[in-house]
Amino acid sequence: SRVVSIGGAVTEILYALGRDDLIVGIDSTSLHPTEALKTKPSVGYYRQLSPEGVLSLRPSLILAADGSGPKEAVSVLEAASIPFVRIPDTYDGEGIVEKIRIVATATDSSRRGECLAKLVEADLSS
């Protein structure tokens, strides 16, 4: 897979899952881990995407945080023949765990995702 990760949380989750090898591009809000900024091409700010910039990376999967835009750019990306998965933009404990599971499922990493989700749930409950 060739994944374009749009949204800082999406990129952090991919790294936490050990799936950073799949990432071919990130947006400018993907500040953590700092390694991502140094090694992955940027597609710009997640609310000012250029479909051409994203598609030029030849992704086989686009993972995009809700709120990505502009709407016209997202419409073009969704209409491309590339799976486009929206990741909810929630920050409570339940939402974070849901994001982990969605990203894990989209990248065929369900087992890793379940382990990470349980660790995060345990951390949040303590």
Side-chain angles (χ1 to χ4, degrees), residues 103-115:
V103 171
T105 299
T107 58
D108 295 323
S109 308
S110 293
R111 256 198 253 159
R112 291 180 189 188
E114 208 44 49
C115 289

Side-chain angles (χ1 to χ4, degrees), residues 11-95:
T11 302
E12 286 186 58
I13 292 168
L14 286 167
Y15 271 83
L17 291 170
R19 300 313 311 243
D20 51 293
D21 59 318
L22 303 178
I23 302 172
V24 296
I26 60 172
D27 79 303
S28 63
T29 68
S30 296
L31 304 175
H32 300 285
T34 55
E35 174 187 328
L37 289 171
K38 296 174 187 171
T39 61
K40 306 295 181 180
S42 176
V43 295
Y45 180 57
Y46 86 112
R47 292 184 188 217
Q48 296 176 331
L49 295 171
S50 159
E52 297 84 6
V54 173
L55 296 173
S56 72
L57 296 173
R58 299 181 335 240
S60 57
L61 173 64
I62 300 168
L63 298 175
D66 274 345
S68 297
K71 288 181 182 182
E72 299 80 13
V74 171
S75 294
V76 170
L77 293 172
E78 288 178 319
S81 58
I82 299 162
F84 185 98
V85 179
R86 289 181 185 265
I87 309 301
D89 201 20
T90 53
Y91 298 100
D92 63 358
E94 208 172 279

